[in-house]
Amino acid sequence: MAHSSPPQPRSIAPRGPLTGTLTVPGDKSISHRSLMFAALAVGTSRISGLLEGEDVLATAAALRAMGATIERTGDGEWRVDGVGVGGLLQPAQALDMGNSGTSTRLLMGLVASHPITATFTGDASLSARPMGRVIEPLAQMGADITASPGGKLPLMVRGLTPAVPITYTLPVASAQVKSAVLLAGLNTPGLTRVVEPVATRDHSERMLRGFGADLTVEDSDAGRVITLRGEAELKPQTITVPGDPSSAGFWLVAASIVPGSDLVVRNVGLNPTRTGLIAALRLMGADITELDAREVGGEPVADLRVRHAPLTAIEVPPDLAPSMIDEYPVLFVAAAFAAGRTVARGAHELRVKESDRIAAMRAALEACGVPCEEYDDGLAVTGTGGGAIPGGATIASLLDHRIAMSMSVAGLHAAAPVAIDDASPVATSYPVFYQTLDAVTGA
Ligand code: S3P
């Protein structure tokens, strides 16, 4: 796991165009959910295209510790024998969540309505992240949760069966909080409801329906209302995980900023709750076209052709935030090469990701000679207008995979190499990122 592996320093020297074709790995959000829902189904599910990154492997290990049988049968191919909703067993040891907020928050939801007690631990990054946002609704449902000061890990969840069904309005736009409540609702009698004033990624809703849960989504004046009938029986499924649009984002920006690039990025999930980066890049003038639009695992997917293009600064529409929440670091990199000053506000949540991504990207870009201005809820970045950034700095990745990958992309078009102090966190979401980078730059 990233938190225990030795630091892996990496230097990215400026490189020529990105050309050819690459395939992005499986979607991280969908991979976590595939394992969790399959573990709660009665019978055997098969998953292909699973992201085999450390975060997803942490979910698999935790589900095994709670009784599911999970086996890797081939490259990205997995078989899961579920225990059924209500059937999770008491884990013998603390569950090590590594760097993964999604594993932690969603599994806390699962444990909350089972008659078991589980302790969650994680690395230094995860242990600094707020868990109060899931503790609050899960406590309302009856779980007894003892957290470290500030509502942080390590924490212990003592589940309650039967739990109490609630209607919960999300105070922050968070798919993890929404999913934690829905997962707790699976083993809760009656109707569990989540109201989301701002729509966030809807993979849990789509997939729970696919697994046979009685789940409805309605629009109301208060927002999207998701209603789940508990004591659900999930039926095993055969799932193909589409490629991760968040992983694709690095290539979309890299090919946009490196002159001469012409790249096809295959297998990109285009669920509308995830495509904010593509919208923002297009507003900046990026040349991205969709090829072979199709459906994979109930999600829209296409191959994307991206060619180098001159980018122009924009004011990033704040209403794109939920659909590009993980892509701001790489959007800031695109902004560093645009003509003018790009301003992104309304993204306060960036402060509580794997790192404080506003402070981290400001420090990283400024160290590379890119002028930035930090706001409470965002960043302004003044770009070169297409020329190389100065570079020549060592960047602290702060146990954050997306900082490491974003600044690696920045290094591709820098006057002097950009060094990353520790690229090991990349293994949490994109283990083959650097091999793919070498392949598409002919290195
Ligand atoms: C995720 C939701 C988002 C996102 C994270 C994955 C999910 O987090 O940043 O990488 O799979 O539900 P929040 O719920 O904190 O916004």
Side-chain angles (χ1 to χ4, degrees), residues 27-30 32-33 102 105-106 129 133 173-179 200-201 203-204 246 274 322 325-326 349 352-354 357 401-402:
D27 188 279
K28 185 151 72 74
S29 293
I30 297 175
H32 283 297
R33 288 159 172 81
T102 309
R105 295 190 177 123
L106 272 57
R129 298 182 66 185
R133 54 182 60 194
S174 166
Q176 292 178 357
V177 178
K178 166 174 68 177
S179 302
T200 64
R201 66 191 68 192
H203 307 302
S204 294
S246 299
R274 302 285 301 279
I325 195 65
D326 292 336
E349 275 293 296
V352 291
K353 295 296 179 184
E354 285 83 331
R357 288 179 172 164
H401 54 137
R402 298 200 198 280

PDB file of all heavy atoms in Angstrom, residues 27-30 32-33 102 105-106 129 133 173-179 200-201 203-204 246 274 322 325-326 349 352-354 357 401-402, ligand 1:
ATOM      1  N   ASP A  27     -12.896   2.027 -13.931  1.00  0.00           N
ATOM      2  CA  ASP A  27     -13.329   3.133 -13.089  1.00  0.00           C
ATOM      3  C   ASP A  27     -13.199   2.763 -11.604  1.00  0.00           C
ATOM      4  O   ASP A  27     -13.663   1.699 -11.173  1.00  0.00           O
ATOM      5  CB  ASP A  27     -14.795   3.445 -13.426  1.00  0.00           C
ATOM      6  CG  ASP A  27     -15.272   4.694 -12.740  1.00  0.00           C
ATOM      7  OD1 ASP A  27     -15.634   4.613 -11.549  1.00  0.00           O
ATOM      8  OD2 ASP A  27     -15.265   5.736 -13.395  1.00  0.00           O
ATOM      9  N   LYS A  28     -12.590   3.666 -10.854  1.00  0.00           N
ATOM     10  CA  LYS A  28     -12.344   3.367  -9.435  1.00  0.00           C
ATOM     11  C   LYS A  28     -13.654   3.306  -8.661  1.00  0.00           C
ATOM     12  O   LYS A  28     -13.877   2.385  -7.877  1.00  0.00           O
ATOM     13  CB  LYS A  28     -11.412   4.431  -8.857  1.00  0.00           C
ATOM     14  CG  LYS A  28     -10.991   4.158  -7.419  1.00  0.00           C
ATOM     15  CD  LYS A  28      -9.623   4.727  -7.118  1.00  0.00           C
ATOM     16  CE  LYS A  28      -9.600   6.235  -7.012  1.00  0.00           C
ATOM     17  NZ  LYS A  28     -10.219   6.729  -5.760  1.00  0.00           N
ATOM     18  N   SER A  29     -14.530   4.287  -8.869  1.00  0.00           N
ATOM     19  CA  SER A  29     -15.799   4.303  -8.123  1.00  0.00           C
ATOM     20  C   SER A  29     -16.611   3.043  -8.414  1.00  0.00           C
ATOM     21  O   SER A  29     -17.189   2.429  -7.505  1.00  0.00           O
ATOM     22  CB  SER A  29     -16.622   5.528  -8.526  1.00  0.00           C
ATOM     23  OG  SER A  29     -15.997   6.705  -8.097  1.00  0.00           O
ATOM     24  N   ILE A  30     -16.669   2.667  -9.682  1.00  0.00           N
ATOM     25  CA  ILE A  30     -17.484   1.504 -10.065  1.00  0.00           C
ATOM     26  C   ILE A  30     -16.816   0.211  -9.590  1.00  0.00           C
ATOM     27  O   ILE A  30     -17.492  -0.744  -9.196  1.00  0.00           O
ATOM     28  CB  ILE A  30     -17.727   1.517 -11.589  1.00  0.00           C
ATOM     29  CG1 ILE A  30     -18.543   2.771 -11.959  1.00  0.00           C
ATOM     30  CG2 ILE A  30     -18.429   0.242 -12.057  1.00  0.00           C
ATOM     31  CD1 ILE A  30     -18.764   2.967 -13.454  1.00  0.00           C
ATOM     32  N   HIS A  32     -14.983  -0.233  -6.812  1.00  0.00           N
ATOM     33  CA  HIS A  32     -15.310  -0.412  -5.382  1.00  0.00           C
ATOM     34  C   HIS A  32     -16.730  -0.966  -5.224  1.00  0.00           C
ATOM     35  O   HIS A  32     -16.979  -1.902  -4.461  1.00  0.00           O
ATOM     36  CB  HIS A  32     -15.298   0.940  -4.659  1.00  0.00           C
ATOM     37  CG  HIS A  32     -13.947   1.494  -4.341  1.00  0.00           C
ATOM     38  ND1 HIS A  32     -13.064   0.874  -3.493  1.00  0.00           N
ATOM     39  CD2 HIS A  32     -13.341   2.651  -4.727  1.00  0.00           C
ATOM     40  CE1 HIS A  32     -11.970   1.621  -3.371  1.00  0.00           C
ATOM     41  NE2 HIS A  32     -12.113   2.704  -4.111  1.00  0.00           N
ATOM     42  N   ARG A  33     -17.647  -0.319  -5.929  1.00  0.00           N
ATOM     43  CA  ARG A  33     -19.058  -0.692  -5.770  1.00  0.00           C
ATOM     44  C   ARG A  33     -19.330  -2.095  -6.305  1.00  0.00           C
ATOM     45  O   ARG A  33     -20.163  -2.825  -5.754  1.00  0.00           O
ATOM     46  CB  ARG A  33     -19.938   0.353  -6.453  1.00  0.00           C
ATOM     47  CG  ARG A  33     -19.967   1.687  -5.680  1.00  0.00           C
ATOM     48  CD  ARG A  33     -20.393   2.829  -6.577  1.00  0.00           C
ATOM     49  NE  ARG A  33     -20.629   4.090  -5.878  1.00  0.00           N
ATOM     50  CZ  ARG A  33     -19.677   4.954  -5.511  1.00  0.00           C
ATOM     51  NH1 ARG A  33     -18.399   4.676  -5.743  1.00  0.00           N
ATOM     52  NH2 ARG A  33     -19.994   6.088  -4.895  1.00  0.00           N
ATOM     53  N   THR A 102     -13.016   6.354  -0.315  1.00  0.00           N
ATOM     54  CA  THR A 102     -14.222   5.668  -0.797  1.00  0.00           C
ATOM     55  C   THR A 102     -14.409   4.347  -0.058  1.00  0.00           C
ATOM     56  O   THR A 102     -15.523   4.032   0.396  1.00  0.00           O
ATOM     57  CB  THR A 102     -14.137   5.428  -2.319  1.00  0.00           C
ATOM     58  OG1 THR A 102     -13.799   6.660  -2.965  1.00  0.00           O
ATOM     59  CG2 THR A 102     -15.450   4.937  -2.872  1.00  0.00           C
ATOM     60  N   ARG A 105     -15.581   5.213   3.670  1.00  0.00           N
ATOM     61  CA  ARG A 105     -16.914   5.772   3.912  1.00  0.00           C
ATOM     62  C   ARG A 105     -18.010   4.797   3.493  1.00  0.00           C
ATOM     63  O   ARG A 105     -19.022   4.653   4.180  1.00  0.00           O
ATOM     64  CB  ARG A 105     -17.038   7.119   3.216  1.00  0.00           C
ATOM     65  CG  ARG A 105     -16.060   8.150   3.832  1.00  0.00           C
ATOM     66  CD  ARG A 105     -16.327   9.540   3.327  1.00  0.00           C
ATOM     67  NE  ARG A 105     -15.452  10.526   3.973  1.00  0.00           N
ATOM     68  CZ  ARG A 105     -14.628  11.342   3.314  1.00  0.00           C
ATOM     69  NH1 ARG A 105     -14.546  11.299   1.998  1.00  0.00           N
ATOM     70  NH2 ARG A 105     -13.893  12.209   3.978  1.00  0.00           N
ATOM     71  N   LEU A 106     -17.812   4.111   2.386  1.00  0.00           N
ATOM     72  CA  LEU A 106     -18.856   3.178   1.944  1.00  0.00           C
ATOM     73  C   LEU A 106     -18.920   1.951   2.859  1.00  0.00           C
ATOM     74  O   LEU A 106     -20.014   1.485   3.221  1.00  0.00           O
ATOM     75  CB  LEU A 106     -18.629   2.763   0.481  1.00  0.00           C
ATOM     76  CG  LEU A 106     -19.284   3.687  -0.570  1.00  0.00           C
ATOM     77  CD1 LEU A 106     -18.839   5.125  -0.453  1.00  0.00           C
ATOM     78  CD2 LEU A 106     -19.047   3.177  -1.983  1.00  0.00           C
ATOM     79  N   ARG A 129      -8.529  13.018   7.101  1.00  0.00           N
ATOM     80  CA  ARG A 129      -9.747  13.410   6.367  1.00  0.00           C
ATOM     81  C   ARG A 129     -10.997  13.322   7.253  1.00  0.00           C
ATOM     82  O   ARG A 129     -11.082  12.482   8.144  1.00  0.00           O
ATOM     83  CB  ARG A 129      -9.893  12.529   5.109  1.00  0.00           C
ATOM     84  CG  ARG A 129      -8.710  12.741   4.172  1.00  0.00           C
ATOM     85  CD  ARG A 129      -8.823  11.953   2.908  1.00  0.00           C
ATOM     86  NE  ARG A 129      -9.932  12.407   2.081  1.00  0.00           N
ATOM     87  CZ  ARG A 129     -10.306  11.814   0.951  1.00  0.00           C
ATOM     88  NH1 ARG A 129      -9.680  10.731   0.534  1.00  0.00           N
ATOM     89  NH2 ARG A 129     -11.310  12.283   0.257  1.00  0.00           N
ATOM     90  N   ARG A 133     -18.917  13.587   8.368  1.00  0.00           N
ATOM     91  CA  ARG A 133     -19.991  13.633   7.363  1.00  0.00           C
ATOM     92  C   ARG A 133     -20.696  12.293   7.172  1.00  0.00           C
ATOM     93  O   ARG A 133     -21.847  12.261   6.766  1.00  0.00           O
ATOM     94  CB  ARG A 133     -19.415  14.144   6.040  1.00  0.00           C
ATOM     95  CG  ARG A 133     -18.223  13.361   5.576  1.00  0.00           C
ATOM     96  CD  ARG A 133     -17.601  13.893   4.281  1.00  0.00           C
ATOM     97  NE  ARG A 133     -17.130  15.254   4.373  1.00  0.00           N
ATOM     98  CZ  ARG A 133     -16.811  16.017   3.333  1.00  0.00           C
ATOM     99  NH1 ARG A 133     -16.921  15.543   2.113  1.00  0.00           N
ATOM    100  NH2 ARG A 133     -16.373  17.234   3.500  1.00  0.00           N
ATOM    101  N   ALA A 173     -22.111  18.172  -1.121  1.00  0.00           N
ATOM    102  CA  ALA A 173     -22.294  17.364  -2.331  1.00  0.00           C
ATOM    103  C   ALA A 173     -21.260  16.248  -2.294  1.00  0.00           C
ATOM    104  O   ALA A 173     -20.092  16.462  -2.603  1.00  0.00           O
ATOM    105  CB  ALA A 173     -22.107  18.232  -3.570  1.00  0.00           C
ATOM    106  N   SER A 174     -21.676  15.059  -1.856  1.00  0.00           N
ATOM    107  CA  SER A 174     -20.727  13.954  -1.728  1.00  0.00           C
ATOM    108  C   SER A 174     -21.378  12.629  -2.072  1.00  0.00           C
ATOM    109  O   SER A 174     -22.296  12.165  -1.398  1.00  0.00           O
ATOM    110  CB  SER A 174     -20.185  13.889  -0.293  1.00  0.00           C
ATOM    111  OG  SER A 174     -19.539  12.648  -0.088  1.00  0.00           O
ATOM    112  N   ALA A 175     -20.865  12.009  -3.129  1.00  0.00           N
ATOM    113  CA  ALA A 175     -21.367  10.685  -3.514  1.00  0.00           C
ATOM    114  C   ALA A 175     -20.989   9.639  -2.477  1.00  0.00           C
ATOM    115  O   ALA A 175     -21.676   8.623  -2.335  1.00  0.00           O
ATOM    116  CB  ALA A 175     -20.806  10.303  -4.878  1.00  0.00           C
ATOM    117  N   GLN A 176     -19.908   9.889  -1.753  1.00  0.00           N
ATOM    118  CA  GLN A 176     -19.513   8.915  -0.727  1.00  0.00           C
ATOM    119  C   GLN A 176     -20.505   8.922   0.429  1.00  0.00           C
ATOM    120  O   GLN A 176     -20.882   7.860   0.942  1.00  0.00           O
ATOM    121  CB  GLN A 176     -18.098   9.219  -0.231  1.00  0.00           C
ATOM    122  CG  GLN A 176     -17.052   8.963  -1.303  1.00  0.00           C
ATOM    123  CD  GLN A 176     -15.648   9.296  -0.854  1.00  0.00           C
ATOM    124  OE1 GLN A 176     -15.436   9.786   0.259  1.00  0.00           O
ATOM    125  NE2 GLN A 176     -14.682   9.038  -1.707  1.00  0.00           N
ATOM    126  N   VAL A 177     -20.938  10.105   0.844  1.00  0.00           N
ATOM    127  CA  VAL A 177     -21.899  10.171   1.943  1.00  0.00           C
ATOM    128  C   VAL A 177     -23.237   9.577   1.491  1.00  0.00           C
ATOM    129  O   VAL A 177     -23.850   8.764   2.197  1.00  0.00           O
ATOM    130  CB  VAL A 177     -22.064  11.626   2.441  1.00  0.00           C
ATOM    131  CG1 VAL A 177     -23.107  11.684   3.543  1.00  0.00           C
ATOM    132  CG2 VAL A 177     -20.727  12.176   2.931  1.00  0.00           C
ATOM    133  N   LYS A 178     -23.665   9.979   0.291  1.00  0.00           N
ATOM    134  CA  LYS A 178     -24.905   9.407  -0.254  1.00  0.00           C
ATOM    135  C   LYS A 178     -24.822   7.878  -0.257  1.00  0.00           C
ATOM    136  O   LYS A 178     -25.741   7.177   0.194  1.00  0.00           O
ATOM    137  CB  LYS A 178     -25.092   9.929  -1.688  1.00  0.00           C
ATOM    138  CG  LYS A 178     -26.136   9.190  -2.500  1.00  0.00           C
ATOM    139  CD  LYS A 178     -26.386   9.838  -3.865  1.00  0.00           C
ATOM    140  CE  LYS A 178     -25.223   9.728  -4.826  1.00  0.00           C
ATOM    141  NZ  LYS A 178     -25.543  10.310  -6.149  1.00  0.00           N
ATOM    142  N   SER A 179     -23.718   7.349  -0.745  1.00  0.00           N
ATOM    143  CA  SER A 179     -23.588   5.898  -0.880  1.00  0.00           C
ATOM    144  C   SER A 179     -23.507   5.213   0.476  1.00  0.00           C
ATOM    145  O   SER A 179     -24.032   4.110   0.650  1.00  0.00           O
ATOM    146  CB  SER A 179     -22.342   5.564  -1.711  1.00  0.00           C
ATOM    147  OG  SER A 179     -22.439   6.180  -2.979  1.00  0.00           O
ATOM    148  N   THR A 200     -24.632  14.303  -7.569  1.00  0.00           N
ATOM    149  CA  THR A 200     -23.258  13.792  -7.605  1.00  0.00           C
ATOM    150  C   THR A 200     -23.264  12.466  -8.358  1.00  0.00           C
ATOM    151  O   THR A 200     -24.330  11.970  -8.739  1.00  0.00           O
ATOM    152  CB  THR A 200     -22.706  13.555  -6.181  1.00  0.00           C
ATOM    153  OG1 THR A 200     -23.494  12.525  -5.559  1.00  0.00           O
ATOM    154  CG2 THR A 200     -22.767  14.822  -5.343  1.00  0.00           C
ATOM    155  N   ARG A 201     -22.076  11.891  -8.535  1.00  0.00           N
ATOM    156  CA  ARG A 201     -21.985  10.663  -9.342  1.00  0.00           C
ATOM    157  C   ARG A 201     -23.026   9.647  -8.867  1.00  0.00           C
ATOM    158  O   ARG A 201     -23.219   9.456  -7.657  1.00  0.00           O
ATOM    159  CB  ARG A 201     -20.574  10.090  -9.336  1.00  0.00           C
ATOM    160  CG  ARG A 201     -20.074   9.592  -8.027  1.00  0.00           C
ATOM    161  CD  ARG A 201     -18.568   9.298  -8.074  1.00  0.00           C
ATOM    162  NE  ARG A 201     -17.804  10.522  -8.222  1.00  0.00           N
ATOM    163  CZ  ARG A 201     -16.513  10.589  -8.524  1.00  0.00           C
ATOM    164  NH1 ARG A 201     -15.829   9.500  -8.737  1.00  0.00           N
ATOM    165  NH2 ARG A 201     -15.902  11.742  -8.614  1.00  0.00           N
ATOM    166  N   HIS A 203     -23.334   6.279  -9.583  1.00  0.00           N
ATOM    167  CA  HIS A 203     -23.023   4.864  -9.827  1.00  0.00           C
ATOM    168  C   HIS A 203     -23.728   3.940  -8.839  1.00  0.00           C
ATOM    169  O   HIS A 203     -24.158   2.848  -9.200  1.00  0.00           O
ATOM    170  CB  HIS A 203     -21.510   4.628  -9.761  1.00  0.00           C
ATOM    171  CG  HIS A 203     -20.722   5.529 -10.655  1.00  0.00           C
ATOM    172  ND1 HIS A 203     -20.918   5.578 -12.009  1.00  0.00           N
ATOM    173  CD2 HIS A 203     -19.750   6.431 -10.390  1.00  0.00           C
ATOM    174  CE1 HIS A 203     -20.090   6.468 -12.540  1.00  0.00           C
ATOM    175  NE2 HIS A 203     -19.378   6.996 -11.576  1.00  0.00           N
ATOM    176  N   SER A 204     -23.838   4.376  -7.579  1.00  0.00           N
ATOM    177  CA  SER A 204     -24.491   3.491  -6.594  1.00  0.00           C
ATOM    178  C   SER A 204     -25.938   3.227  -6.991  1.00  0.00           C
ATOM    179  O   SER A 204     -26.404   2.085  -6.935  1.00  0.00           O
ATOM    180  CB  SER A 204     -24.462   4.121  -5.196  1.00  0.00           C
ATOM    181  OG  SER A 204     -23.152   4.211  -4.727  1.00  0.00           O
ATOM    182  N   SER A 246     -11.738   9.845 -14.807  1.00  0.00           N
ATOM    183  CA  SER A 246     -10.766  10.617 -14.028  1.00  0.00           C
ATOM    184  C   SER A 246      -9.339  10.265 -14.449  1.00  0.00           C
ATOM    185  O   SER A 246      -8.468  11.137 -14.535  1.00  0.00           O
ATOM    186  CB  SER A 246     -10.948  10.350 -12.533  1.00  0.00           C
ATOM    187  OG  SER A 246     -12.248  10.737 -12.135  1.00  0.00           O
ATOM    188  N   ARG A 274     -19.834  12.681 -14.454  1.00  0.00           N
ATOM    189  CA  ARG A 274     -18.371  12.587 -14.387  1.00  0.00           C
ATOM    190  C   ARG A 274     -17.637  13.379 -15.470  1.00  0.00           C
ATOM    191  O   ARG A 274     -16.397  13.303 -15.532  1.00  0.00           O
ATOM    192  CB  ARG A 274     -17.953  11.109 -14.502  1.00  0.00           C
ATOM    193  CG  ARG A 274     -18.530  10.175 -13.445  1.00  0.00           C
ATOM    194  CD  ARG A 274     -17.860  10.343 -12.093  1.00  0.00           C
ATOM    195  NE  ARG A 274     -16.435  10.094 -12.155  1.00  0.00           N
ATOM    196  CZ  ARG A 274     -15.877   8.874 -12.131  1.00  0.00           C
ATOM    197  NH1 ARG A 274     -16.635   7.797 -12.041  1.00  0.00           N
ATOM    198  NH2 ARG A 274     -14.570   8.730 -12.190  1.00  0.00           N
ATOM    199  N   PRO A 322     -19.281  19.314  -9.130  1.00  0.00           N
ATOM    200  CA  PRO A 322     -19.506  17.921  -8.731  1.00  0.00           C
ATOM    201  C   PRO A 322     -19.104  16.918  -9.816  1.00  0.00           C
ATOM    202  O   PRO A 322     -18.687  15.802  -9.503  1.00  0.00           O
ATOM    203  CB  PRO A 322     -21.023  17.847  -8.485  1.00  0.00           C
ATOM    204  CG  PRO A 322     -21.474  19.259  -8.344  1.00  0.00           C
ATOM    205  CD  PRO A 322     -20.516  20.104  -9.129  1.00  0.00           C
ATOM    206  N   ILE A 325     -14.946  16.856  -9.755  1.00  0.00           N
ATOM    207  CA  ILE A 325     -14.339  17.165  -8.459  1.00  0.00           C
ATOM    208  C   ILE A 325     -12.921  16.593  -8.345  1.00  0.00           C
ATOM    209  O   ILE A 325     -12.045  17.206  -7.748  1.00  0.00           O
ATOM    210  CB  ILE A 325     -15.257  16.726  -7.293  1.00  0.00           C
ATOM    211  CG1 ILE A 325     -14.805  17.368  -5.990  1.00  0.00           C
ATOM    212  CG2 ILE A 325     -15.378  15.204  -7.179  1.00  0.00           C
ATOM    213  CD1 ILE A 325     -14.929  18.863  -5.948  1.00  0.00           C
ATOM    214  N   ASP A 326     -12.672  15.442  -8.961  1.00  0.00           N
ATOM    215  CA  ASP A 326     -11.330  14.854  -8.872  1.00  0.00           C
ATOM    216  C   ASP A 326     -10.386  15.380  -9.953  1.00  0.00           C
ATOM    217  O   ASP A 326      -9.197  15.034  -9.954  1.00  0.00           O
ATOM    218  CB  ASP A 326     -11.420  13.326  -8.982  1.00  0.00           C
ATOM    219  CG  ASP A 326     -12.113  12.722  -7.770  1.00  0.00           C
ATOM    220  OD1 ASP A 326     -12.108  13.354  -6.691  1.00  0.00           O
ATOM    221  OD2 ASP A 326     -12.669  11.615  -7.902  1.00  0.00           O
ATOM    222  N   GLU A 349     -14.532  21.683  -1.503  1.00  0.00           N
ATOM    223  CA  GLU A 349     -14.301  20.270  -1.174  1.00  0.00           C
ATOM    224  C   GLU A 349     -12.867  19.817  -1.505  1.00  0.00           C
ATOM    225  O   GLU A 349     -12.376  18.843  -0.952  1.00  0.00           O
ATOM    226  CB  GLU A 349     -15.299  19.391  -1.932  1.00  0.00           C
ATOM    227  CG  GLU A 349     -16.637  19.236  -1.227  1.00  0.00           C
ATOM    228  CD  GLU A 349     -16.518  18.460   0.078  1.00  0.00           C
ATOM    229  OE1 GLU A 349     -16.158  17.278   0.030  1.00  0.00           O
ATOM    230  OE2 GLU A 349     -16.767  19.033   1.146  1.00  0.00           O
ATOM    231  N   VAL A 352     -10.401  18.867   1.259  1.00  0.00           N
ATOM    232  CA  VAL A 352     -10.469  17.650   2.097  1.00  0.00           C
ATOM    233  C   VAL A 352     -10.344  16.381   1.267  1.00  0.00           C
ATOM    234  O   VAL A 352     -10.894  15.344   1.610  1.00  0.00           O
ATOM    235  CB  VAL A 352     -11.744  17.630   2.967  1.00  0.00           C
ATOM    236  CG1 VAL A 352     -11.674  18.709   4.038  1.00  0.00           C
ATOM    237  CG2 VAL A 352     -13.016  17.783   2.130  1.00  0.00           C
ATOM    238  N   LYS A 353      -9.622  16.448   0.164  1.00  0.00           N
ATOM    239  CA  LYS A 353      -9.351  15.233  -0.626  1.00  0.00           C
ATOM    240  C   LYS A 353      -8.085  14.564  -0.073  1.00  0.00           C
ATOM    241  O   LYS A 353      -7.696  14.824   1.070  1.00  0.00           O
ATOM    242  CB  LYS A 353      -9.234  15.601  -2.104  1.00  0.00           C
ATOM    243  CG  LYS A 353     -10.547  16.138  -2.685  1.00  0.00           C
ATOM    244  CD  LYS A 353     -11.634  15.071  -2.667  1.00  0.00           C
ATOM    245  CE  LYS A 353     -12.945  15.593  -3.205  1.00  0.00           C
ATOM    246  NZ  LYS A 353     -14.018  14.602  -3.110  1.00  0.00           N
ATOM    247  N   GLU A 354      -7.437  13.718  -0.872  1.00  0.00           N
ATOM    248  CA  GLU A 354      -6.259  13.004  -0.376  1.00  0.00           C
ATOM    249  C   GLU A 354      -5.202  13.980   0.147  1.00  0.00           C
ATOM    250  O   GLU A 354      -4.361  13.629   0.977  1.00  0.00           O
ATOM    251  CB  GLU A 354      -5.681  12.100  -1.475  1.00  0.00           C
ATOM    252  CG  GLU A 354      -6.502  10.833  -1.726  1.00  0.00           C
ATOM    253  CD  GLU A 354      -7.690  11.037  -2.665  1.00  0.00           C
ATOM    254  OE1 GLU A 354      -8.263  12.167  -2.731  1.00  0.00           O
ATOM    255  OE2 GLU A 354      -8.079  10.054  -3.337  1.00  0.00           O
ATOM    256  N   ARG A 357      -6.027  20.011  -2.026  1.00  0.00           N
ATOM    257  CA  ARG A 357      -5.589  20.126  -3.432  1.00  0.00           C
ATOM    258  C   ARG A 357      -5.491  21.566  -3.918  1.00  0.00           C
ATOM    259  O   ARG A 357      -4.854  21.816  -4.943  1.00  0.00           O
ATOM    260  CB  ARG A 357      -6.519  19.300  -4.340  1.00  0.00           C
ATOM    261  CG  ARG A 357      -6.277  17.815  -4.145  1.00  0.00           C
ATOM    262  CD  ARG A 357      -7.170  16.946  -4.996  1.00  0.00           C
ATOM    263  NE  ARG A 357      -6.733  15.557  -4.885  1.00  0.00           N
ATOM    264  CZ  ARG A 357      -7.475  14.514  -5.247  1.00  0.00           C
ATOM    265  NH1 ARG A 357      -8.690  14.695  -5.731  1.00  0.00           N
ATOM    266  NH2 ARG A 357      -6.990  13.294  -5.118  1.00  0.00           N
ATOM    267  N   HIS A 401      -2.248  10.764  -5.124  1.00  0.00           N
ATOM    268  CA  HIS A 401      -2.000  10.261  -6.484  1.00  0.00           C
ATOM    269  C   HIS A 401      -2.257  11.313  -7.547  1.00  0.00           C
ATOM    270  O   HIS A 401      -1.520  11.423  -8.527  1.00  0.00           O
ATOM    271  CB  HIS A 401      -2.862   9.016  -6.733  1.00  0.00           C
ATOM    272  CG  HIS A 401      -4.333   9.190  -6.475  1.00  0.00           C
ATOM    273  ND1 HIS A 401      -5.301   8.707  -7.309  1.00  0.00           N
ATOM    274  CD2 HIS A 401      -5.019   9.800  -5.471  1.00  0.00           C
ATOM    275  CE1 HIS A 401      -6.489   8.995  -6.827  1.00  0.00           C
ATOM    276  NE2 HIS A 401      -6.351   9.654  -5.714  1.00  0.00           N
ATOM    277  N   ARG A 402      -3.317  12.103  -7.361  1.00  0.00           N
ATOM    278  CA  ARG A 402      -3.667  13.044  -8.441  1.00  0.00           C
ATOM    279  C   ARG A 402      -2.712  14.241  -8.499  1.00  0.00           C
ATOM    280  O   ARG A 402      -2.545  14.844  -9.554  1.00  0.00           O
ATOM    281  CB  ARG A 402      -5.123  13.477  -8.325  1.00  0.00           C
ATOM    282  CG  ARG A 402      -6.073  12.286  -8.466  1.00  0.00           C
ATOM    283  CD  ARG A 402      -7.478  12.652  -8.844  1.00  0.00           C
ATOM    284  NE  ARG A 402      -8.366  11.542  -8.534  1.00  0.00           N
ATOM    285  CZ  ARG A 402      -8.536  10.452  -9.297  1.00  0.00           C
ATOM    286  NH1 ARG A 402      -7.894  10.339 -10.437  1.00  0.00           N
ATOM    287  NH2 ARG A 402      -9.353   9.482  -8.924  1.00  0.00           N
TER     288      ARG A 402
HETATM  289  C1  S3P B   1     -16.213   9.143  -4.962  1.00  0.00           C
HETATM  290  C2  S3P B   1     -16.778  10.350  -4.644  1.00  0.00           C
HETATM  291  C3  S3P B   1     -16.022  11.613  -4.570  1.00  0.00           C
HETATM  292  C4  S3P B   1     -14.678  11.503  -5.258  1.00  0.00           C
HETATM  293  C5  S3P B   1     -13.962  10.227  -4.916  1.00  0.00           C
HETATM  294  C6  S3P B   1     -14.785   9.019  -5.315  1.00  0.00           C
HETATM  295  C7  S3P B   1     -17.063   7.937  -4.985  1.00  0.00           C
HETATM  296  O1  S3P B   1     -15.777  11.923  -3.219  1.00  0.00           O
HETATM  297  O2  S3P B   1     -13.862  12.607  -4.922  1.00  0.00           O
HETATM  298  O3  S3P B   1     -12.706  10.163  -5.568  1.00  0.00           O
HETATM  299  O4  S3P B   1     -16.628   6.887  -5.521  1.00  0.00           O
HETATM  300  O5  S3P B   1     -18.183   8.009  -4.484  1.00  0.00           O
HETATM  301  P1  S3P B   1     -16.797  12.793  -2.331  1.00  0.00           P
HETATM  302  O6  S3P B   1     -17.988  11.957  -2.052  1.00  0.00           O
HETATM  303  O7  S3P B   1     -16.022  13.114  -1.088  1.00  0.00           O
HETATM  304  O8  S3P B   1     -17.100  14.011  -3.146  1.00  0.00           O
END
